[in-house]
Amino acid sequence: MKAIVINKFVTSYRDLTVSNLPEPTILDPSGVLITVNCAALNFVDLLYARGTHQNNASLVRPPFTLGLEFAGTVSSAAPRSKWKVGDRVFGGALGAFAEKIVANEQSLHAIPAGWSFADAAGLGATAPVSYGALVERGRLKAGETVLVHAGAGGLGVMAVQIAKALGAKVIATVGSGEKMRVARMAGADVVVDYSVEGWEKAVVVASGGEGVDVVFDTVGLVGKSLRCLKHGGRVLVVGFAGSYGGVEKVAMNRILLKQAQVIGYRYGETDRRAPEETKRVWSNLSQMISNGFVKPILYEEVYRGLEDIPRALKDLDDRKVWGKAIVHVSPLKELKSNL
């Protein structure tokens, strides 16, 4: 089978090539073999390819197959598995940039009715991060105001939709005019361009003058966000996309003075340590999806085949991508989206 394998970390995405590998085998009764139809891009893919993610120090070392999110069809499963050959599924697991992947059956989910493979490919490792951070850690509730940074990105558009479904007011930040449109499409009440100096003041005004109750930060903007956080508010640290693997440094006296609660959220680690929480997250997410509160927002560019992944990653790195960028891995005829 074909796959994008990282045999050594790269400095340019053009150095990524398609390799031929033996088809993966199921070694565990809980394993399921999936033929990948579509895979989705994530910012983490950029860091993994270059070896600059914190997981590259131990958990994710070469050689490994790149990619975290996929949708496809079950090709093989254990007799007692809840999944059967032909089932249409999506999930999140390392190794998605390949024609086949073996994933734990608990990490797979049925593609919602009316959704295409492309629609579902970007959910598995994105939607639960946004939900887990906002709900499980942030305790966001109806009537509160949340600031979602990078509100047009993959995690951002999910966070905006989830927050709206909870009944919160959403202020989203983005870095361009086109992305302002996307954040509004996702449901943001107010959109602020954080490439403009002093954007924090605009957030305070949009919040009604008191500041926001919760900050959802995947960028590395805790320091500036404290300026527009309500006294005693919560800051959710979900990532550092703005620093490309670096870590933001914040003076602790500012957190003390604001009496802010700074809360980290790492979905993968939570899944390993508290699988019951993962089940709860997906149960509630599935209800939101069924009710139409959470929908895919797909980037308009079409990427075809694993050979197109270097171009897709370069577009993501250049900040061209909004929503979820999808790579059509296998030339299978798929259900057209009804969304």
Side-chain angles (χ1 to χ4, degrees):
M1 72 165 189
K2 294 180 179 180
I4 299 291
V5 179
I6 304 296
N7 290 305
K8 64 177 182 178
F9 297 125
V10 301
T11 56
S12 171
Y13 305 116
R14 289 177 296 183
D15 295 333
L16 296 173
T17 58
V18 178
S19 300
N20 287 305
L21 298 178
E23 184 174 299
T25 55
I26 298 175
L27 302 177
D28 187 279
S30 62
V32 179
L33 178 66
I34 299 110
T35 297
V36 178
N37 184 279
C38 291
L41 270 64
N42 289 274
F43 185 81
V44 172
D45 298 324
L46 303 179
L47 304 182
Y48 275 4
R50 295 189 302 223
T52 56
H53 192 279
Q54 57 194 4
N55 286 347
N56 291 131
S58 58
L59 296 176
V60 183
R61 301 288 300 169
F64 64 91
T65 299
L66 198 60
L68 291 173
E69 288 181 308
F70 60 88
T73 305
V74 173
S75 296
S76 180
R80 295 184 180 180
S81 174
K82 64 179 180 180
W83 302 108
K84 306 302 178 187
V85 173
D87 285 348
R88 301 170 69 249
V89 297
F90 70 89
L94 184 64
F97 293 165
E99 292 178 325
K100 303 269 189 177
I101 185 172
V102 171
N104 186 288
E105 65 175 3
Q106 298 301 322
S107 69
L108 300 174
H109 309 274
I111 294 179
W115 287 42
S116 67
F117 289 115
D119 291 333
L123 279 179
T126 301
V129 175
S130 298
Y131 185 95
L134 288 172
V135 179
E136 295 289 336
R137 296 296 179 274
R139 307 180 308 282
L140 182 66
K141 56 182 180 292
E144 290 189 314
T145 301
V146 59
L147 173 62
V148 176
H149 284 309
L155 288 168
V157 294
M158 284 291 124
V160 169
Q161 293 181 83
I162 290 166
K164 290 301 295 181
L166 293 170
K169 177 180 180 179
V170 178
I171 303 171
T173 62
V174 298
S176 70
E178 172 68 4
K179 291 181 179 179
M180 294 182 83
R181 178 188 67 81
V182 174
R184 291 191 184 98
M185 181 171 62
D189 297 289
V190 180
V191 184
V192 175
D193 187 341
Y194 59 10
S195 67
V196 177
E197 189 68 27
W199 58 264
E200 307 96 306
K201 295 179 182 178
V203 171
V204 172
V205 171
S207 72
E210 293 187 3
V212 300
D213 298 283
V214 177
V215 175
F216 177 87
D217 184 17
T218 61
V219 180
L221 289 172
V222 173
K224 291 186 176 182
S225 297
L226 288 171
R227 299 173 186 167
C228 49
L229 182 71
K230 184 182 291 184
H231 199 88
R234 291 98 74 194
V235 179
L236 304 171
V237 180
V238 187
F240 310 99
S243 53
Y244 284 85
V247 178
E248 181 188 14
K249 295 179 175 59
V250 180
M252 294 303 293
N253 67 310
R254 297 185 59 206
I255 296 171
L256 172 65
L257 292 171
K258 184 72 67 143
Q259 293 196 85
Q261 302 173 56
V262 180
I263 307 165
Y265 183 69
R266 190 178 174 199
Y267 173 70
E269 188 65 24
T270 299
D271 184 39
R272 286 186 285 272
R273 292 175 178 268
E276 68 281 358
E277 182 176 314
T278 300
K279 291 180 181 179
R280 183 169 64 247
V281 165
W282 274 109
S283 176
N284 294 331
L285 258 179
S286 297
Q287 192 63 44
M288 285 186 173
I289 292 170
S290 297
N291 291 336
F293 294 132
V294 173
K295 296 180 180 180
I297 295 179
L298 305 184
Y299 183 51
E300 57 197 359
E301 185 70 19
V302 177
Y303 303 100
R304 297 195 180 279
L306 295 171
E307 294 79 5
D308 218 7
I309 282 178
R311 180 173 73 92
L313 290 175
K314 182 65 166 56
D315 286 350
L316 182 63
D317 195 31
D318 289 343
R319 309 289 180 171
K320 294 179 182 179
V321 173
W322 43 259
K324 294 297 291 190
I326 305 297
V327 178
H328 296 259
V329 176
S330 301
L332 300 176
K333 184 177 181 182
E334 66 165 321
L335 177 70
K336 184 178 181 181
S337 173
N338 290 326
L339 299 176

